[in-house]
mmCIF file of all heavy atoms in Angstrom:
data_model
loop_
_atom_site.group_PDB
_atom_site.id
_atom_site.type_symbol
_atom_site.label_atom_id
_atom_site.label_comp_id
_atom_site.label_asym_id
_atom_site.label_seq_id
_atom_site.Cartn_x
_atom_site.Cartn_y
_atom_site.Cartn_z
ATOM 1 N N ILE A 160 -11.822 -51.949 0.477
ATOM 2 C CA ILE A 160 -12.119 -52.910 1.543
ATOM 3 C C ILE A 160 -10.918 -53.822 1.756
ATOM 4 O O ILE A 160 -10.457 -54.495 0.840
ATOM 5 C CB ILE A 160 -13.374 -53.732 1.210
ATOM 6 C CG1 ILE A 160 -14.579 -52.813 0.993
ATOM 7 C CG2 ILE A 160 -13.664 -54.738 2.310
ATOM 8 C CD1 ILE A 160 -14.915 -51.959 2.181
ATOM 9 N N GLU A 161 -10.412 -53.845 2.997
ATOM 10 C CA GLU A 161 -9.257 -54.680 3.340
ATOM 11 C C GLU A 161 -9.676 -55.974 4.025
ATOM 12 O O GLU A 161 -8.909 -56.948 4.049
ATOM 13 C CB GLU A 161 -8.310 -53.914 4.264
ATOM 14 C CG GLU A 161 -7.760 -52.628 3.668
ATOM 15 C CD GLU A 161 -6.764 -52.878 2.555
ATOM 16 O OE1 GLU A 161 -6.280 -54.024 2.449
ATOM 17 O OE2 GLU A 161 -6.479 -51.937 1.801
ATOM 18 N N GLY A 162 -10.871 -56.012 4.601
ATOM 19 C CA GLY A 162 -11.332 -57.210 5.294
ATOM 20 C C GLY A 162 -12.657 -56.956 5.985
ATOM 21 O O GLY A 162 -13.290 -55.903 5.800
ATOM 22 N N TYR A 163 -13.078 -57.937 6.786
ATOM 23 C CA TYR A 163 -14.350 -57.854 7.495
ATOM 24 C C TYR A 163 -14.153 -58.281 8.949
ATOM 25 O O TYR A 163 -13.397 -59.213 9.245
ATOM 26 C CB TYR A 163 -15.397 -58.766 6.847
ATOM 27 C CG TYR A 163 -15.778 -58.354 5.441
ATOM 28 C CD1 TYR A 163 -15.083 -58.843 4.336
ATOM 29 C CD2 TYR A 163 -16.828 -57.469 5.213
ATOM 30 C CE1 TYR A 163 -15.421 -58.465 3.045
ATOM 31 C CE2 TYR A 163 -17.184 -57.092 3.933
ATOM 32 C CZ TYR A 163 -16.471 -57.591 2.857
ATOM 33 O OH TYR A 163 -16.808 -57.208 1.573
ATOM 34 N N TYR A 164 -14.840 -57.567 9.831
ATOM 35 C CA TYR A 164 -14.933 -57.976 11.225
ATOM 36 C C TYR A 164 -16.278 -58.676 11.427
ATOM 37 O O TYR A 164 -17.316 -58.201 10.956
ATOM 38 C CB TYR A 164 -14.846 -56.774 12.169
ATOM 39 C CG TYR A 164 -13.458 -56.217 12.324
ATOM 40 C CD1 TYR A 164 -13.172 -54.900 11.978
ATOM 41 C CD2 TYR A 164 -12.429 -56.994 12.842
ATOM 42 C CE1 TYR A 164 -11.898 -54.378 12.132
ATOM 43 C CE2 TYR A 164 -11.157 -56.488 12.996
ATOM 44 C CZ TYR A 164 -10.903 -55.181 12.635
ATOM 45 O OH TYR A 164 -9.629 -54.671 12.786
ATOM 46 N N ILE A 165 -16.236 -59.804 12.137
ATOM 47 C CA ILE A 165 -17.454 -60.558 12.457
ATOM 48 C C ILE A 165 -17.557 -60.678 13.974
ATOM 49 O O ILE A 165 -16.655 -61.199 14.628
ATOM 50 C CB ILE A 165 -17.421 -61.968 11.828
ATOM 51 C CG1 ILE A 165 -17.239 -61.871 10.308
ATOM 52 C CG2 ILE A 165 -18.701 -62.736 12.161
ATOM 53 C CD1 ILE A 165 -16.959 -63.204 9.650
ATOM 54 N N ILE A 166 -18.643 -60.158 14.513
ATOM 55 C CA ILE A 166 -18.894 -60.263 15.948
ATOM 56 C C ILE A 166 -19.964 -61.334 16.168
ATOM 57 O O ILE A 166 -21.031 -61.295 15.557
ATOM 58 C CB ILE A 166 -19.369 -58.922 16.538
ATOM 59 C CG1 ILE A 166 -18.266 -57.870 16.399
ATOM 60 C CG2 ILE A 166 -19.757 -59.087 18.002
ATOM 61 C CD1 ILE A 166 -18.659 -56.509 16.921
ATOM 62 N N THR A 167 -19.649 -62.302 17.040
ATOM 63 C CA THR A 167 -20.570 -63.398 17.352
ATOM 64 C C THR A 167 -20.978 -63.325 18.817
ATOM 65 O O THR A 167 -20.119 -63.268 19.703
ATOM 66 C CB THR A 167 -19.910 -64.756 17.072
ATOM 67 O OG1 THR A 167 -19.451 -64.798 15.721
ATOM 68 C CG2 THR A 167 -20.896 -65.892 17.298
ATOM 69 N N ASN A 168 -22.259 -63.309 19.061
ATOM 70 C CA ASN A 168 -22.793 -63.357 20.426
ATOM 71 C C ASN A 168 -23.560 -64.659 20.608
ATOM 72 O O ASN A 168 -24.495 -64.951 19.847
ATOM 73 C CB ASN A 168 -23.729 -62.174 20.697
ATOM 74 C CG ASN A 168 -22.972 -60.876 20.879
ATOM 75 O OD1 ASN A 168 -22.019 -60.818 21.633
ATOM 76 N ND2 ASN A 168 -23.395 -59.841 20.178
ATOM 77 N N ALA A 169 -23.153 -65.429 21.587
ATOM 78 C CA ALA A 169 -23.847 -66.684 21.910
ATOM 79 C C ALA A 169 -24.556 -66.518 23.249
ATOM 80 O O ALA A 169 -23.945 -66.147 24.250
ATOM 81 C CB ALA A 169 -22.853 -67.843 21.979
ATOM 82 N N THR A 170 -25.861 -66.774 23.261
ATOM 83 C CA THR A 170 -26.666 -66.669 24.482
ATOM 84 C C THR A 170 -27.242 -68.043 24.794
ATOM 85 O O THR A 170 -27.945 -68.632 23.980
ATOM 86 C CB THR A 170 -27.809 -65.656 24.302
ATOM 87 O OG1 THR A 170 -27.249 -64.394 23.916
ATOM 88 C CG2 THR A 170 -28.602 -65.491 25.585
ATOM 89 N N PHE A 171 -26.932 -68.548 25.999
ATOM 90 C CA PHE A 171 -27.379 -69.901 26.344
ATOM 91 C C PHE A 171 -27.663 -69.976 27.843
ATOM 92 O O PHE A 171 -27.054 -69.269 28.643
ATOM 93 C CB PHE A 171 -26.314 -70.947 25.957
ATOM 94 C CG PHE A 171 -24.932 -70.621 26.464
ATOM 95 C CD1 PHE A 171 -24.486 -71.090 27.693
ATOM 96 C CD2 PHE A 171 -24.068 -69.836 25.699
ATOM 97 C CE1 PHE A 171 -23.229 -70.791 28.148
ATOM 98 C CE2 PHE A 171 -22.796 -69.537 26.167
ATOM 99 C CZ PHE A 171 -22.372 -70.006 27.389
ATOM 100 N N PRO A 172 -28.627 -70.834 28.258
ATOM 101 C CA PRO A 172 -28.919 -70.987 29.686
ATOM 102 C C PRO A 172 -27.810 -71.763 30.383
ATOM 103 O O PRO A 172 -27.279 -72.742 29.860
ATOM 104 C CB PRO A 172 -30.235 -71.748 29.698
ATOM 105 C CG PRO A 172 -30.260 -72.494 28.408
ATOM 106 C CD PRO A 172 -29.523 -71.646 27.413
ATOM 107 N N ASP A 173 -27.437 -71.304 31.586
ATOM 108 C CA ASP A 173 -26.424 -71.997 32.383
ATOM 109 C C ASP A 173 -26.916 -73.392 32.754
ATOM 110 O O ASP A 173 -26.158 -74.355 32.777
ATOM 111 C CB ASP A 173 -26.101 -71.181 33.624
ATOM 112 C CG ASP A 173 -24.956 -71.774 34.409
ATOM 113 O OD1 ASP A 173 -23.960 -72.148 33.766
ATOM 114 O OD2 ASP A 173 -25.066 -71.864 35.625
ATOM 115 N N SER A 174 -28.188 -73.477 33.071
ATOM 116 C CA SER A 174 -28.820 -74.776 33.309
ATOM 117 C C SER A 174 -30.317 -74.591 33.156
ATOM 118 O O SER A 174 -30.852 -73.514 33.395
ATOM 119 C CB SER A 174 -28.493 -75.311 34.704
ATOM 120 O OG SER A 174 -29.120 -74.529 35.698
#
Side-chain angles (χ1 to χ4, degrees):
I160 302 301
E161 300 289 344
Y163 295 90
Y164 285 120
I165 303 170
I166 296 179
T167 305
N168 286 311
T170 304
F171 51 91
D173 186 45
S174 69

